[in-house]
Amino acid sequence: MQINVSQQLKSAIGSVRDYEVSEIIDVTDNGNSSLVQGKVRLMRTDRGILVKGILNTEVGLTCSRCLSLFNYPLALKIEEEYFPTTDVVSGAPLPLPDELGCFTIDEHHTLDLTEAIRQCALLAIPMKPLCREDCAGLCPNCGHNLNQGPCNCLSQGTNHRWSE
């Protein structure tokens, strides 16, 4: 999602603009794009543009217990500052801050939210996603998905070595 901020860079510090976001973005870098929707607020700072917003999307994940594919809803709270690379009035190049990995506004005064959204989504995805809280997982003997019902494996009795 790209926004031209040339007029806002000419505005006074503290000026605010609101934007609706509705873009299809590959947030997980796996080739599956998903719709990202929400609102962002851009505020002029003394160094650039501060972007704040709440976005909603859904990503396809694999359950860590049963290995089923499922859609997982994500609510992304984004808050990033973008720094201009070119002066909006003179066109002269500007020095970037010493922060590693800072987001920039290109020489055409276009702010691209795509990478910030992608990074925020990757941080919001759980490390061990579950298709549901009470996921039964797979049978350790035959690999049957126990969410679909019991398997036909013979019940293995308890190990008598642990009974004492």
Side-chain angles (χ1 to χ4, degrees):
M1 159 147 206
Q2 298 182 343
I3 301 170
N4 188 309
V5 292
S6 59
Q7 292 303 315
Q8 194 167 7
L9 287 171
K10 293 176 186 176
S11 300
I13 294 173
S15 67
V16 173
R17 297 212 173 131
D18 294 324
Y19 293 91
E20 292 282 332
V21 175
S22 184
E23 293 279 328
I24 295 177
I25 300 173
D26 182 8
V27 294
T28 56
D29 272 347
N30 63 2
N32 297 327
S33 299
S34 55
L35 180 64
V36 178
Q37 293 181 308
K39 293 182 180 183
V40 292
R41 173 168 279 185
L42 278 60
M43 181 174 30
R44 176 73 165 104
T45 65
D46 60 337
R47 303 186 319 164
I49 303 286
L50 177 66
V51 178
K52 285 184 171 185
I54 296 179
L55 306 171
N56 296 299
T57 189
E58 198 171 75
V59 294
L61 298 176
T62 302
C63 180
S64 63
R65 285 187 192 159
C66 69
L67 304 179
S68 297
L69 295 175
F70 69 102
N71 288 329
Y72 186 80
L74 291 177
L76 310 174
K77 184 177 179 186
I78 187 168
E79 184 172 343
E80 295 290 343
E81 189 168 13
Y82 284 74
F83 303 99
T85 57
T86 307
D87 184 82
V88 72
V89 177
S90 68
L94 294 173
L96 290 177
D98 293 334
E99 301 173 25
L100 289 175
C102 66
F103 293 104
T104 58
I105 301 167
D106 71 10
E107 64 275 359
H108 302 291
H109 313 296
T110 302
L111 181 146
D112 190 357
L113 290 173
T114 308
E115 181 59 19
I117 292 170
R118 190 188 72 75
Q119 288 181 17
C120 191
L122 289 176
L123 290 172
I125 294 173
M127 291 175 72
K128 293 196 174 221
L130 295 177
C131 60
R132 58 184 201 221
E133 285 296 318
D134 62 341
C135 178
L138 301 175
C139 172
N141 296 322
C142 69
H144 175 74
N145 186 342
L146 298 174
N147 294 319
Q148 299 171 352
C151 63
N152 295 326
C153 290
L154 295 174
S155 173
Q156 291 188 358
T158 59
N159 190 333
H160 297 289
R161 291 178 287 178
W162 299 104
S163 61
E164 294 178 9

Tab-separated table of all heavy atoms in Angstrom, residues 156-164:
chain	number	residue	atom	x	y	z
A	156	GLN	N	-3.317	-49.203	23.761
A	156	GLN	CA	-2.130	-49.724	24.430
A	156	GLN	C	-2.306	-49.497	25.916
A	156	GLN	O	-2.562	-48.382	26.349
A	156	GLN	CB	-0.876	-49.031	23.928
A	156	GLN	CG	-0.541	-49.382	22.501
A	156	GLN	CD	0.807	-48.828	22.098
A	156	GLN	OE1	1.457	-48.148	22.879
A	156	GLN	NE2	1.222	-49.145	20.884
A	157	GLY	N	-2.177	-50.552	26.680
A	157	GLY	CA	-2.356	-50.458	28.123
A	157	GLY	C	-1.251	-49.608	28.741
A	157	GLY	O	-0.294	-49.238	28.099
A	158	THR	N	-1.411	-49.339	29.989
A	158	THR	CA	-0.410	-48.554	30.688
A	158	THR	C	0.855	-49.381	30.881
A	158	THR	O	0.817	-50.602	30.984
A	158	THR	CB	-0.937	-48.088	32.052
A	158	THR	OG1	-1.269	-49.243	32.817
A	158	THR	CG2	-2.149	-47.185	31.895
A	159	ASN	N	1.917	-48.718	30.930
A	159	ASN	CA	3.198	-49.360	31.148
A	159	ASN	C	3.303	-49.686	32.656
A	159	ASN	O	3.290	-48.793	33.472
A	159	ASN	CB	4.329	-48.444	30.707
A	159	ASN	CG	5.662	-49.141	30.677
A	159	ASN	OD1	5.883	-50.101	31.410
A	159	ASN	ND2	6.540	-48.652	29.815
A	160	HIS	N	3.383	-50.985	32.965
A	160	HIS	CA	3.382	-51.396	34.365
A	160	HIS	C	4.634	-50.945	35.119
A	160	HIS	O	4.643	-50.899	36.333
A	160	HIS	CB	3.228	-52.917	34.475
A	160	HIS	CG	1.910	-53.382	33.929
A	160	HIS	ND1	0.724	-53.127	34.576
A	160	HIS	CD2	1.583	-54.061	32.796
A	160	HIS	CE1	-0.281	-53.640	33.873
A	160	HIS	NE2	0.216	-54.206	32.786
A	161	ARG	N	5.653	-50.564	34.411
A	161	ARG	CA	6.865	-50.090	35.089
A	161	ARG	C	6.614	-48.759	35.793
A	161	ARG	O	7.307	-48.391	36.712
A	161	ARG	CB	8.012	-49.931	34.091
A	161	ARG	CG	8.498	-51.287	33.557
A	161	ARG	CD	9.572	-51.079	32.548
A	161	ARG	NE	8.952	-50.573	31.331
A	161	ARG	CZ	9.620	-50.237	30.240
A	161	ARG	NH1	10.932	-50.324	30.219
A	161	ARG	NH2	8.992	-49.796	29.190
A	162	TRP	N	5.601	-48.032	35.354
A	162	TRP	CA	5.299	-46.733	35.942
A	162	TRP	C	4.206	-46.820	37.002
A	162	TRP	O	3.829	-45.814	37.577
A	162	TRP	CB	4.864	-45.751	34.848
A	162	TRP	CG	5.917	-45.514	33.829
A	162	TRP	CD1	5.969	-46.023	32.575
A	162	TRP	CD2	7.084	-44.723	33.995
A	162	TRP	NE1	7.097	-45.594	31.927
A	162	TRP	CE2	7.810	-44.797	32.793
A	162	TRP	CE3	7.632	-43.971	35.037
A	162	TRP	CZ2	9.016	-44.154	32.605
A	162	TRP	CZ3	8.829	-43.313	34.835
A	162	TRP	CH2	9.512	-43.404	33.637
A	163	SER	N	3.664	-47.982	37.268
A	163	SER	CA	2.522	-48.092	38.171
A	163	SER	C	2.918	-47.960	39.644
A	163	SER	O	2.067	-47.771	40.489
A	163	SER	CB	1.797	-49.412	37.936
A	163	SER	OG	2.645	-50.510	38.193
A	164	GLU	N	4.137	-48.121	39.974
A	164	GLU	CA	4.526	-48.058	41.389
A	164	GLU	C	4.955	-46.686	41.815
A	164	GLU	O	5.423	-45.844	41.271
A	164	GLU	CB	5.639	-49.050	41.677
A	164	GLU	CG	5.148	-50.459	41.499
A	164	GLU	CD	6.252	-51.463	41.729
A	164	GLU	OE1	7.351	-51.077	42.182
A	164	GLU	OE2	6.034	-52.623	41.463
